[in-house]
């Protein structure tokens, strides 16, 4: 509130983009309800965070988006808002989602995570999530089950196999731990 008040006092509130987010889920003693998991885990409670963007006249006030966003997206989003582009020699890992924020649409995409502790791996593809922790693999539909309770890998073996294959292909491009 103080940041917004200061922007208003300076006459900058209409032309300033304000982003509020976090880099990971709750610390070990936090309550990340309704999600399970904490910082250091690829369960939703460890990776899902709030994301708010304020840009008067450019992004609808009070709007809600189902767009999947990662922290790596903020750089290309903010560059686009400033009518700038990333250096082609150093392409960003994130994508510019400003059009989706402005027109209310969503873009299909895949996000990947891995964490050495407990041999954790995850892939989010729209509503579906492939999850592997300590050698146990799961498939969740996060739109229907944000708490990651109903493992659907037996009911949806094709989706499970496809997401697992996508994760493994991506992981092959990463440096070893």
């Amino acid at each position: 509130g103080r940041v917004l008040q200061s922007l208003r006092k300076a006459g900058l509130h209409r032309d300033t983009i304000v982003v509020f987010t976090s880099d990971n889920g709750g610390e070990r003693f936090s309550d990340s309800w309704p999600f399970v998991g904490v910082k250091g885990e690829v369960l939703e409670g460890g990776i899902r965070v709030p994301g708010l963007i304020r840009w008067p006249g450019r992004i609808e006030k009070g709007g809600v988006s189902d767009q999947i966003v990662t922290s790596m997206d903020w750089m290309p989003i903010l560059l686009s808002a400033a009518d700038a582009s990333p250096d082609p020699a150093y392409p960003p890992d994130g994508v510019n989602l400003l059009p989706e924020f402005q027109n209310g649409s969503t873009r299909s995409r895949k996000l990947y995570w891995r964490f050495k502790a407990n041999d954790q791996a995850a892939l989010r593809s729209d509503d579906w999530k492939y999850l592997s922790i300590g050698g146990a693999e799961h498939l969740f539909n996060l739109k229907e089950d944000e708490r990651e309770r109903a493992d659907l890998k037996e009911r949806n073996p094709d989706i499970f196999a496809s997401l697992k294959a996508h994760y493994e292909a991506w992981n092959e491009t990463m440096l070893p731990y």
Side-chain angles (χ1 to χ4, degrees):
R2 291 192 305 251
V3 169
L4 296 178
Q5 185 179 32
S6 295
L7 289 171
R8 185 172 298 283
K9 282 183 182 178
L12 301 172
H13 62 286
R14 293 193 184 280
D15 298 319
T16 302
I17 298 171
V18 177
V19 175
F20 175 85
T21 190
S22 178
D23 64 339
N24 52 252
E27 197 267 336
R28 69 179 180 264
F29 298 117
S30 64
D31 182 357
S32 58
W33 180 265
F35 311 116
V36 295
V38 294
K39 178 179 178 174
E41 295 178 330
V42 297
L43 292 157
E44 290 300 290
I47 58 176
R48 195 183 294 198
V49 297
L52 304 165
I53 185 168
R54 179 187 179 276
W55 195 16
R58 304 289 184 95
I59 295 176
E60 178 186 354
K61 180 180 180 178
V64 176
S65 174
D66 289 327
Q67 179 61 58
I68 299 169
V69 181
T70 185
S71 58
M72 295 178 290
D73 297 330
W74 291 114
M75 192 260 295
I77 289 168
L78 295 172
L79 283 174
S80 175
D83 292 325
S85 300
D87 184 330
Y90 304 97
D93 290 323
V95 298
N96 174 20
L97 297 169
L98 188 57
E100 285 74 16
F101 294 160
Q102 292 180 310
N103 67 29
S105 65
T106 57
R107 179 187 304 199
S108 180
R109 64 191 304 208
K110 291 177 175 56
L111 297 179
Y112 302 84
W113 295 267
R114 67 182 195 159
F115 197 67
K116 187 174 182 180
N118 292 325
D119 192 25
Q120 298 178 76
L123 161 59
R124 170 85 188 257
S125 179
D126 299 323
D127 295 334
W128 292 99
K129 182 177 181 182
Y130 163 77
L131 175 68
S132 177
I133 296 182
E137 296 178 305
H138 309 277
L139 176 68
F140 300 107
N141 182 317
L142 295 177
K143 186 173 185 172
E144 297 172 4
D145 178 26
E146 63 189 10
R147 297 206 55 204
E148 298 171 287
R149 294 292 191 217
D151 188 349
L152 301 173
K153 75 178 179 186
E154 301 297 327
R155 289 189 210 157
N156 298 278
D158 293 341
I159 295 171
F160 175 78
S162 174
L163 293 183
K164 181 177 178 177
H166 278 282
Y167 179 85
E168 289 172 348
W170 170 82
N171 196 44
E172 287 294 317
T173 69
M174 304 308 294
L175 293 171
Y177 285 124

